[in-house]
Amino acid sequence: MIKWILLILTTVFTTKLYADEAYFQTRCDSIKKERETIRSKFRHGYTIKEGEYLTSRDKFLFTQLANHCSKPKKSGSAYQATSSTSTRTPNSNWLLNQKVSNMSLHSDSYKDAAKLDAWSTFYKLPKRCRKKGIGSADFVWCSEYRGKQKDLFEAQWKEHP
């Protein structure tokens, strides 16, 4: 008897979940269509009052899409394959946080391979510039520091035969 109750409850809840998913997907599709309609109205003439309404409605719909419709569609097999591999890891940025040994600094500043290798060896990025979520003051400091280091490198490179 308990097995039958569990079977019925499981069936009801899974059916409800699939129905909710289908409902949300149709709602997401309708939000996308409404945003497309608003964007087409932006390209045509409108009054100031209409423009304010369209802008606020577009922002609201954008927020709704971001909050409720960020999951990929089931039908996109290529997209689904890439998203399923990224969902296996607890942190989607895990690759960015990996330490890499013998990592050289990428720069397109120099076309000469020897000069680029010398620059990669010379310039070491300070810890202050490697922080996650770097502030604007640190960003400016890092940019200025890199410029000074580049000037110093150029002076040493000219002396190098």
Side-chain angles (χ1 to χ4, degrees):
M1 179 71 173
I2 293 176
K3 289 180 183 178
W4 283 104
I5 293 173
L6 287 175
L7 179 65
I8 292 171
L9 287 175
T10 306
T11 307
V12 168
F13 284 122
T14 55
T15 306
K16 171 109 173 85
L17 289 174
Y18 288 127
D20 286 346
E21 183 177 325
Y23 168 76
F24 287 129
Q25 188 60 46
T26 57
R27 178 68 183 136
C28 292
D29 291 342
S30 68
I31 290 173
K32 289 176 186 175
K33 283 185 181 181
E34 186 176 351
R35 282 196 76 213
E36 289 173 11
T37 304
I38 289 173
R39 288 181 185 163
S40 69
K41 287 181 182 178
F42 276 137
R43 290 187 289 270
H44 303 306
Y46 53 87
T47 65
I48 293 174
K49 193 172 186 178
E50 284 176 325
E52 290 173 353
Y53 170 75
L54 292 174
T55 302
S56 65
R57 184 68 183 159
D58 187 51
K59 286 180 182 178
F60 173 76
L61 293 173
F62 177 77
T63 306
Q64 291 295 313
L65 280 173
N67 292 337
H68 302 293
C69 302
S70 60
K71 296 178 184 172
K73 291 183 179 179
K74 299 283 182 187
S75 62
S77 61
Y79 186 75
Q80 184 180 1
T82 58
S83 66
S84 66
T85 57
S86 66
T87 56
R88 280 187 241 154
T89 60
N91 183 1
S92 61
N93 294 329
W94 69 272
L95 184 59
L96 296 175
N97 297 324
Q98 297 298 313
K99 292 192 178 204
V100 180
S101 60
N102 300 328
M103 189 170 90
S104 64
L105 177 71
H106 173 74
S107 174
D108 57 357
S109 301
Y110 302 110
K111 302 291 182 203
D112 181 21
K115 193 172 185 180
L116 181 61
D117 287 340
W119 167 248
S120 296
T121 305
F122 176 82
Y123 181 69
K124 301 296 180 210
L125 191 65
K127 277 188 178 180
R128 180 178 179 180
C129 303
R130 285 185 260 147
K131 289 190 302 188
K132 195 179 232 182
I134 189 170
S136 60
D138 286 335
F139 180 79
V140 170
W141 183 88
C142 293
S143 298
E144 291 174 352
Y145 177 79
R146 186 175 191 271
K148 291 175 187 174
Q149 291 295 308
K150 197 164 187 179
D151 291 342
L152 183 63
F153 171 75
E154 287 292 336
Q156 289 180 3
W157 184 259
K158 285 179 183 176
E159 294 173 3
H160 183 264

